[in-house]
Amino acid sequence: MKTISKLFILILFVTSCESYTEDINTDPNEFTTAPPELIIGQAQLGWMQLATSNSARYAGIFMNHFTGEDRQYVTVNQYSTTAADYDDTWEDAYVRGIEQAKLTKDLAIESGNLQLAGIAQICEAAIFGEMAALFGDIPFSQANKISEFPTPEYDSQASVLAGIQTILDQAISNVGDLSASTYAGNRLSSAATWAEIAHSLKARYYLIAKDYPNALISARNGIDTPEKSLITQHTTALNSENLYYQFMVDERDGYLGATDSHLKNLLDGTVARTIATPGDAERFDFYFTAYSDGTGHAPNVTNDGVFAETAPMNIISYEEVKLIEAEAANRTGDAGDVTAFNEVRAFLATEYGSSFPATTSASGSNTLLMEIVEEKYITLIGELQPFHDIRRTGNMLNVPPKTGATIPQRFIYPQIEVDTNPNVPSPLPTLFDPTPIN
C-alpha cells in the first residue's frame, strides 16, 4: 500500500474537515502531542466517507438504485470502471479510516482510556468489514504496519470477517455501557450504547459471512429502537453537508440520477412489489424528484428529500438490524421472523404517515424471505448493504442489471495497490468475479 505519513493525513483532515471537529486547540503540526480524543474524529470521518460517499454511489448504480447519467458516471452505469476509479475508496479506508482508528486505539491504551480504545476498535472493525465485503481478500493482519510490512499480504475474505468479530468482542469489553454520544462529536448521533452499536455491526458482518445463527444472536443484542440508529450529522457549512448533496449539488450536478432505476420502478408501481405497500407513494416523493422537462428522475436533494443538505445518513440503523434479525430468524427456523419484519413495517407506517401493511406470509417461508430482502433493498437507499445482499443471495430479488446479464460482484483492486503491492491477488479478479464467500 502507499506509504503516506500519519502526520500528513492528520493535517489533511484537520484542515479540510474543521467543521466536523470540536475544541481543536492542538497544533496539527505537533503530531506527537495530538490526543486520541482528537484523532478518533478523523477515524470516524474516514468511516463516514467510505459508507456514504463515492463507494455508496457506485454500489447504488451497480445495484440499480440510481442511474449514472452524465460524463464519468455514464461509464459507471455501463459497468465500465477502471482500477484507478477505486483509489479513493482504498485510501478512504486504509489511510483516512483504519490508520487513524489504530492510532487512536494505541494512544488511548497508553493513556489508560480503554473506552476510547473500544470506540476506535468499532470504527476499525467496521471499515475492515466493508472493505472485505466489497473487495474480497484484503490486507488485514499486516495492514497499516508500514515499517514492518511495506507491502502487506492479503488475508482471505473469510478470515477478515472472522477477525473483525474478535475486534468487536474486544471493543464490547472495553466500552462497557458507554453512551454512543461519547466521542461522537458533531459527526455522529445515536441514543444507543457503543456496545449496542458493536453488537449490531457483529450482526451485519455475520450476515455477510452467511453465519445466520450468530447474526440472529447479535441482532437481538443490538439496536432495538429507531432512536438508537447510528447516523451522520450535517450542517449547511462548507464540507459538513450531506455527502450525496455535496456531490449532486456542489460538485457534479447531473452525474447521478435515478431515471428508470429499479428502485424508482418498484416505488412507483412500474414493477410490482412482493408485498403490496400503498405507503410507497409517500416514500417515492421522499426519495426522488422528477426532472422539469419530464425526461426522468433524480435522487431528492430538496429540503424535504432523503439527501437534503442537512439530512443524516445511516451508518447502521434500527431498520437494518431488525431486517437482519428477520432474515436470520427466517433462515434458521426461528418464529421471530414475522414479528421482526412487522416491527419495521409498523415503523415505516409511522415514519411516512401512510400504509405499510403487516405481512401475511408464513414464518420460515420463502415468500417472507423475499419480502424481507426486498424491504431492505428499498429502505436502505444510498447505503452499501443492499449491494452486499444482492451478491450474497445470488440476486434473489432479480434486480435487473444496468447492462448485460450480471450485476457487478465486487469492487476491483485499485491502481495504487496494483502498482505498489506485489501481493495483490493474481490474476486480478474482474468486476464480475464473485468474492470468495459468494
Side-chain angles (χ1 to χ4, degrees):
M1 288 185 292
K2 253 184 168 179
T3 304
I4 299 179
S5 75
K6 299 174 184 177
L7 172 59
F8 172 77
I9 295 304
L10 183 62
I11 293 171
L12 173 66
F13 265 107
V14 169
T15 56
S16 66
C17 300
E18 286 180 353
S19 54
Y20 267 123
T21 53
E22 299 173 328
D23 302 322
I24 298 176
N25 297 312
T26 303
D27 180 356
N29 293 299
E30 295 294 332
F31 178 78
T32 56
T33 67
E37 293 83 0
L38 169 61
I39 303 171
I40 187 60
Q42 318 313 324
Q44 289 169 345
L45 289 173
W47 185 10
M48 291 163 59
Q49 185 83 5
L50 177 63
T52 69
S53 188
N54 194 61
S55 298
R57 295 193 299 268
Y58 271 33
I61 293 172
F62 288 171
M63 64 179 164
N64 217 338
H65 269 187
F66 307 129
T67 304
E69 299 190 5
D70 193 18
R71 304 190 190 191
Q72 293 97 320
Y73 268 48
V74 172
T75 62
V76 179
N77 202 66
Q78 297 167 342
Y79 300 160
S80 182
T81 59
T82 67
D85 292 328
Y86 301 90
D87 286 351
D88 286 346
T89 294
W90 202 262
E91 290 197 4
D92 285 343
Y94 280 102
V95 182
R96 299 181 178 94
I98 293 168
E99 178 64 34
Q100 307 310 311
K102 284 177 173 285
L103 183 58
T104 300
K105 176 182 66 178
D106 292 343
L107 292 173
I109 290 173
E110 286 178 12
S111 65
N113 191 342
L114 291 182
Q115 289 181 323
L116 178 55
I119 296 169
Q121 288 173 309
I122 290 169
C123 185
E124 174 191 353
I127 298 173
F128 270 130
E130 289 307 308
M131 292 296 284
L134 290 168
F135 289 92
D137 300 348
I138 59 169
F140 177 65
S141 58
Q142 295 181 358
N144 298 89
K145 302 175 182 177
I146 297 297
S147 59
E148 189 176 0
F149 303 110
T151 56
E153 294 181 355
Y154 279 60
D155 296 81
S156 71
Q157 185 181 33
S159 67
V160 176
L161 291 172
I164 65 172
Q165 294 293 344
T166 300
I167 295 173
L168 287 168
D169 285 338
Q170 295 169 350
I172 291 166
S173 176
N174 284 334
V175 297
D177 60 358
L178 187 68
S179 167
S181 64
T182 308
Y183 297 118
N186 59 357
R187 302 168 296 275
L188 297 170
S189 177
S190 171
T193 65
W194 278 113
E196 288 174 312
I197 300 297
H199 281 295
S200 301
L201 291 167
K202 285 176 67 66
R204 173 191 285 177
Y205 298 113
Y206 276 134
L207 187 80
I208 288 171
K210 304 181 183 179
D211 183 347
Y212 300 115
N214 277 318
L216 180 59
I217 293 169
S218 295
R220 286 177 172 166
N221 286 315
I223 294 168
D224 58 0
T225 66
E227 296 76 21
K228 292 182 179 181
S229 296
L230 182 65
I231 59 174
T232 62
Q233 296 191 82
H234 302 282
T235 73
T236 59
L238 183 66
N239 292 328
S240 69
E241 302 149 304
N242 177 287
L243 294 182
Y244 272 89
Y245 179 94
Q246 280 190 43
F247 181 79
M248 295 180 63
V249 176
D250 297 342
E251 299 169 357
R252 298 289 188 273
D253 181 29
Y255 279 42
L256 185 69
T259 301
D260 202 35
S261 74
H262 186 62
L263 179 57
K264 191 279 297 181
N265 289 341
L266 281 170
L267 292 181
D268 71 8
T270 301
V271 175
R273 286 201 56 181
T274 305
I275 180 171
T277 307
D280 280 344
E282 284 73 20
R283 182 153 53 176
F284 179 92
D285 291 338
F286 181 56
Y287 282 8
F288 302 116
T289 53
Y291 294 136
S292 57
D293 62 3
T295 58
H297 291 81
N300 190 346
V301 294
T302 68
N303 289 339
D304 298 322
V306 62
F307 300 130
E309 187 173 14
T310 61
M313 292 288 295
N314 291 319
I315 297 297
I316 188 160
S317 65
Y318 165 77
E319 302 96 296
E320 179 187 344
V321 176
K322 274 294 170 183
L323 290 168
I324 291 172
E325 179 185 349
E327 180 181 348
N330 179 276
R331 291 183 181 275
T332 57
D334 187 297
D337 53 356
V338 172
T339 299
F341 179 64
N342 283 338
E343 285 175 353
V344 173
R345 298 285 286 181
F347 167 70
L348 293 171
T350 301
E351 194 72 355
Y352 290 99
S354 191
S355 176
F356 287 75
T359 185
T360 59
S361 299
S363 175
S365 67
N366 189 65
T367 301
L368 177 58
L369 180 61
M370 289 284 289
E371 292 172 356
I372 293 165
V373 177
E374 181 186 76
E375 189 59 67
K376 194 173 172 193
Y377 175 82
I378 294 172
T379 298
L380 303 190
I381 183 175
E383 302 181 37
L384 290 168
Q385 304 316 308
F387 180 54
H388 303 333
D389 288 344
I390 285 175
R391 297 174 297 133
R392 173 177 57 85
T393 65
N395 194 12
M396 68 180 295
L397 297 179
N398 293 315
V399 174
K402 290 289 187 177
T403 185
T406 307
I407 286 176
Q409 294 297 298
R410 60 161 70 233
F411 282 9
I412 57 176
Y413 293 112
Q415 196 63 50
I416 55 171
E417 190 71 354
V418 173
D419 289 344
T420 62
N421 190 350
N423 292 313
V424 71
S426 180
L428 289 169
T430 72
L431 202 64
F432 299 100
D433 290 322
T435 64
I437 59 170
N438 292 325

